Amino acid sequence: MHRHTLVLSFLAITAWSLLCFGKDDNQGWKQVKGLKGAMYAEMNNGRACVKLLTSSGPQGCEAPDQATVVAPLVHRNDFGIPYRGKRVVVVPATEADEFLSQLLADPEMRSRVAGVLVDPTSGRPPRQSTAEKFPSAAYALYNNRSYVWNPAGTGFTRQYFGMPIYMLTASLAAEATRRAAYNAYNEFKGGRHVARMVLPMLANGNSYQCIAEDTCLPVGGYSVWTAVPPLPDPTYTTVPARSITLLVAQMDSNAMFHDLVKGAATSVSGLTAALVALTLLVRSGAPGNYTRQLAFVALQGEGFDYMGSKRLLYEMSLNSSYVQGLQMENIDQVIEVGPIGAAWDATSNASTFYLHSQRNPPGQYGSADALIAAAQQAASGTQARVSEASTANPGLPPSSLASFLRVKSSISGLVLTDFDSAFKGPYYQSDYDDGLNTFQHMVEAITDAALMLARMLHFLAKAPGAPDLELNRTAAAAVAEALASCTLSDSPGLRCPEAAALINPEFRVYEDGTTSAAIFAYPGVMSFVSVYPKRTPNKPQVPSFIFNYLGNLTAVPLTNSTNTSSGEGVECNGDCEGSFACIGWRYTTSDKSGFGRCRNTTTNFVPAYSLRLAYNSRWFVDNSSRALQWEQTYLWPNDSVWTESNWPEDTPKLMVYQQESESTQVITLVVGLLLTAGTAAVSWIGLKLFERHLKVQ
């Protein structure tokens, strides 16, 4: 009898353990981990709108009071079903702009929403832009700030939502939609499917406050500039300075979900066209005979109120080590390559470009006539069609050229774009500006733009009587496709041969196990400032690639150079001396395969961050008068001081799961307690019976 009782006790405990911790229901789970996978769906790789701050206050998204947000899921179509509390709304991407605009405009509606999940599987909106109708209008050189350059603009990147908002993955979108439909079918009665959103942001107030409290970091990075050919003496003590034609492009973009931003047509198409044009020029051998100096700068931070061009111009006013040789008094021509990704038309098999200049007020700014004539001559005989922008435009479109004209109005300046009076590309500063399904069209536009730019720069810089630059479109298209595969594609991205030979590409690992080394255009944040203009370690990936590519492209042997420990071609582990830069350094290691080579090139990094901030072991607000006086001299708008909030580890997170009704939770708790007590009682009885059995024996 005692033995039977003991065996029954053991079997009861074993059966309960199996019931709780193991089951095969033909739905794929046999243990706790599998059961969790069937009950919960998670997203831990970002894809959240986060909190940025400016001098005027917060922008973006966060969980209120840094608390974890848990609320039932509802699809936007079922939002009208009555419910007493807040809910997390699943919104199709095609309807997200309309819904978020209503949310900002309607306080009562806002009071019923705990968070928003954007479903990208519903398709893309035909046009979408999180920038303003006139991006950074305060920086324009004219008074018509209400002009609409960006018809699709919502201005969301300048708004504070104060709640969690996520862009879902395809798999999680399907889960969230299914669970929201279950809630709606049951009218939110009984057990509900909920979203648990972890998005605490640590910064409060504005940028000045969070910098002082050390709860944020400056948005920014590094611009890169180079001289073509390299300057024999950047100090100009042994050689006279020459007039400079400066080619400009932007490398960054902005959008609501920063870690998804690629900026393909917004900025990276123009950047790629500039890199291709320089490649064609240098490989032609022509720049060695030019009477003008060519220079190029890829600007970082322009999507954040032109902080990159502003910082560059300020460093030039100081003649700092970052810009030695690039002197403002020598720059008299600036050509900017703006958005050009939508220029190619398959029907006509040609690209159409527009030339923008600042003509008003008449006589206040340098004439662009010579640049326009050079562009039109360069386009003749190619597939590029070039027209002056409409005279009805108020002036320059949003561009970095305006920064240069603000500081030196006599500059002859031109902006090359794919639009006339309003943006043509549908996704200016948008998470959808990723080049999807438009890669080959952009390659065609980049090829046409690069051919025209190379011939234009040659025409402006060559000696009188020198022949025009002859270029082959097939060869140019090969260069364009190779570089575009690095800058505009997910695969290979920066694992392309041109990048992999010069840097150690970073890549992202996605939930399905796939990886991508694609360029992402959000500048990121700066934890410190590197004071070494040619040092490549600890630089962000995109500026690092551009620095190494340009350094490798433009390098020439130093005249009368001797191959010493710091000379031309010597192996380097991140640093070289003098005018040399360590090109091709990939990682710090004793393995010399990761070393670079010292090359003679005038290629430098330039920090890009707010003039109101400074770094000395930590970030602080710079109240010195020097930068303020410089800003006042050139009538700069108040500095926005862009920063990004810090957040705790393992943020952001999103989980959807079923939460039982309150009555079920109480019953489950009571039953669990009873079962626990019963199991304990059976175990105690079994133990006593076993002890009695031992005594009998």
Side-chain angles (χ1 to χ4, degrees):
M1 177 67 182
H2 294 163
R3 289 182 180 179
H4 290 304
T5 305
L6 183 62
V7 170
L8 287 172
S9 300
F10 173 76
L11 290 174
I13 295 170
T14 303
W16 172 242
S17 300
L18 289 171
L19 181 63
C20 293
F21 300 109
K23 179 183 175 183
D24 186 352
D25 61 354
N26 295 320
Q27 294 183 9
W29 59 272
K30 294 185 179 180
Q31 49 187 321
V32 172
K33 184 177 180 181
L35 175 58
K36 180 181 178 183
M39 295 175 62
Y40 300 88
E42 296 179 283
M43 188 172 71
N44 298 316
N45 65 336
R47 302 179 69 91
C49 164
V50 299
K51 184 178 184 178
L52 301 186
L53 301 97
T54 66
S55 56
S56 59
Q59 331 272 320
C61 310
E62 66 176 330
D65 303 318
Q66 300 183 20
T68 297
V69 177
V70 180
L73 290 160
V74 63
H75 196 276
R76 186 196 181 190
N77 295 339
D78 301 316
F79 190 60
I81 297 175
Y83 181 72
R84 285 181 296 177
K86 292 187 175 185
R87 288 171 291 184
V88 175
V89 186
V90 180
V91 182
T94 52
E95 303 172 19
D97 282 3
E98 180 186 11
F99 181 80
L100 293 174
S101 296
Q102 292 174 348
L103 203 61
L104 291 169
D106 187 344
E108 191 278 330
M109 176 183 174
R110 187 186 182 94
S111 69
R112 296 185 286 123
V113 177
V116 178
L117 305 180
V118 180
D119 174 8
T121 64
S122 61
R124 296 179 171 221
R127 301 183 69 85
Q128 200 266 354
S129 171
T130 57
E132 301 155 297
K133 300 287 187 185
F134 189 152
S136 298
Y139 292 79
L141 300 174
Y142 44 88
N143 293 326
N144 186 359
R145 309 292 169 80
S146 61
Y147 186 83
V148 178
W149 286 105
N150 183 24
T154 60
F156 288 160
T157 51
R158 305 289 175 137
Q159 297 290 337
Y160 177 63
F161 290 91
M163 66 177 65
I165 302 178
Y166 293 80
M167 174 70 79
L168 298 175
T169 60
S171 59
L172 195 58
E175 275 293 315
T177 300
R178 178 181 67 81
R179 293 169 187 262
Y182 175 94
N183 287 345
Y185 180 79
N186 291 282
E187 297 183 337
F188 298 93
K189 297 173 183 177
R192 295 181 293 270
H193 288 274
V194 301
R196 182 178 184 271
M197 298 175 288
V198 180
L199 197 66
M201 298 284 123
L202 303 182
N204 293 306
N206 60 20
S207 289
Y208 295 127
Q209 179 180 338
C210 70
I211 286 290
E213 295 174 350
D214 201 22
T215 55
C216 63
L217 288 170
V219 172
Y222 292 87
S223 301
V224 179
W225 76 276
T226 194
V228 182
L231 299 173
D233 179 7
T235 64
Y236 300 118
T237 56
T238 60
V239 295
R242 296 189 294 176
S243 297
I244 296 175
T245 298
L246 180 64
L247 183 65
V248 176
Q250 300 179 10
M251 71 169 84
D252 71 295
S253 186
N254 189 12
M256 193 165 174
F257 302 100
H258 298 145
D259 61 344
L260 303 179
V261 177
K262 293 184 177 178
T266 301
S267 56
V268 180
S269 60
L271 170 66
T272 308
L275 292 175
V276 175
L278 291 174
T279 302
L280 298 176
L281 268 180
V282 172
R283 290 180 180 177
S284 75
N289 299 314
Y290 287 165
T291 58
R292 296 180 65 87
Q293 178 68 52
L294 296 184
F296 167 66
V297 60
L299 291 168
Q300 183 72 281
E302 295 300 88
F304 296 84
D305 294 328
Y306 306 108
M307 72 167 76
S309 54
K310 184 178 180 182
R311 169 61 68 173
L312 173 75
L313 290 162
Y314 179 65
E315 295 292 337
M316 289 168 65
S317 75
L318 303 176
N319 193 27
S320 75
S321 60
Y322 298 114
V323 293
Q324 196 169 66
L326 190 65
Q327 296 181 354
M328 197 65 189
E329 57 264 31
N330 299 328
I331 299 174
D332 58 2
Q333 294 177 341
V334 174
I335 302 164
E336 180 176 355
V337 194
I340 55 94
W344 190 71
D345 177 63
T347 304
S348 61
N349 194 32
S351 299
T352 301
F353 301 104
Y354 294 90
L355 307 174
H356 300 261
S357 59
Q358 186 62 43
R359 295 189 176 277
N360 295 315
Q364 183 169 332
Y365 298 100
S367 171
D369 290 345
L371 301 183
I372 292 170
Q376 291 172 335
Q377 179 173 332
S380 62
T382 72
Q383 293 181 197
R385 300 173 179 175
V386 175
S387 301
E388 283 192 69
S390 172
T391 56
N393 295 348
L396 289 173
S399 58
S400 304
L401 174 58
S403 298
F404 288 87
L405 290 175
R406 180 181 295 278
V407 172
K408 186 178 179 180
S409 60
S410 62
I411 284 176
S412 298
L414 195 68
V415 181
L416 178 73
T417 72
D418 57 17
F419 62 87
D420 184 1
S421 297
F423 294 165
K424 182 179 180 181
Y427 301 125
Y428 180 85
Q429 289 193 9
S430 167
D431 299 295
Y432 304 104
D433 184 17
D434 55 10
L436 185 68
N437 301 323
T438 61
F439 176 80
Q440 202 55 50
H441 286 195
M442 284 199 285
V443 169
E444 297 289 344
I446 288 167
T447 301
D448 291 336
L451 283 167
M452 191 200 74
L453 286 166
R455 296 181 65 185
M456 177 185 179
L457 291 169
H458 176 81
F459 180 81
L460 292 169
K462 71 183 180 70
D468 290 341
L469 186 65
E470 297 296 330
L471 295 171
N472 179 278
R473 192 181 192 281
T474 301
V479 176
E481 183 141 13
L483 277 173
S485 71
C486 304
T487 59
L488 293 170
S489 69
D490 274 358
S491 180
L494 290 181
R495 284 182 285 206
C496 65
E498 290 75 9
L502 297 170
I503 64 172
N504 194 29
E506 300 170 2
F507 58 88
R508 297 186 182 189
V509 180
Y510 297 113
E511 291 181 341
D512 61 0
T514 60
T515 62
S516 171
I519 276 183
F520 288 88
Y522 176 59
V525 296
M526 299 184 73
S527 56
F528 69 97
V529 179
S530 173
V531 298
Y532 302 104
K534 293 183 182 292
R535 181 170 171 79
T536 52
N538 302 317
K539 297 297 193 302
Q541 180 167 250
V542 176
S544 182
F545 166 63
I546 295 170
F547 175 91
N548 280 276
Y549 183 83
L550 291 173
N552 189 57
L553 175 71
T554 62
V556 296
L558 188 64
T559 306
N560 298 324
S561 173
T562 57
N563 194 12
T564 65
S565 61
S566 61
E568 176 75 24
V570 171
E571 290 179 340
C572 52
N573 198 10
D575 291 302
C576 297
E577 296 181 6
S579 63
F580 295 104
C582 188
I583 302 301
W585 176 89
R586 286 176 289 162
Y587 42 83
T588 300
T589 175
S590 57
D591 176 8
K592 292 190 175 182
S593 64
F595 284 15
R597 298 280 178 173
C598 291
R599 306 296 304 275
N600 177 43
T601 174
T602 309
T603 303
N604 287 4
F605 291 104
V606 185
Y609 61 94
S610 168
L611 261 63
R612 296 276 66 75
L613 303 177
Y615 181 83
N616 185 6
S617 300
R618 64 179 299 275
W619 288 100
F620 61 94
V621 177
D622 185 4
N623 293 315
S624 62
S625 60
R626 189 170 190 173
L628 281 169
Q629 289 174 353
W630 181 82
E631 288 178 308
Q632 291 169 1
T633 299
Y634 297 110
L635 303 177
W636 287 93
N638 291 333
D639 199 301
S640 300
V641 197
W642 284 94
T643 60
E644 180 183 278
S645 173
N646 297 343
W647 55 72
E649 194 175 353
D650 295 328
T651 300
K653 273 188 174 182
L654 171 65
M655 176 186 291
V656 296
Y657 60 95
Q658 185 167 16
Q659 185 182 69
E660 298 298 341
S661 64
E662 293 181 5
S663 59
T664 303
Q665 291 180 47
V666 172
I667 293 171
T668 302
L669 176 62
V670 171
V671 170
L673 291 173
L674 290 173
L675 286 172
T676 301
T679 302
V682 170
S683 299
W684 183 82
I685 292 170
L687 179 61
K688 293 300 181 182
L689 291 173
F690 183 70
E691 290 174 349
R692 183 180 302 176
H693 175 71
L694 291 177
K695 288 179 180 180
V696 170
Q697 290 184 344

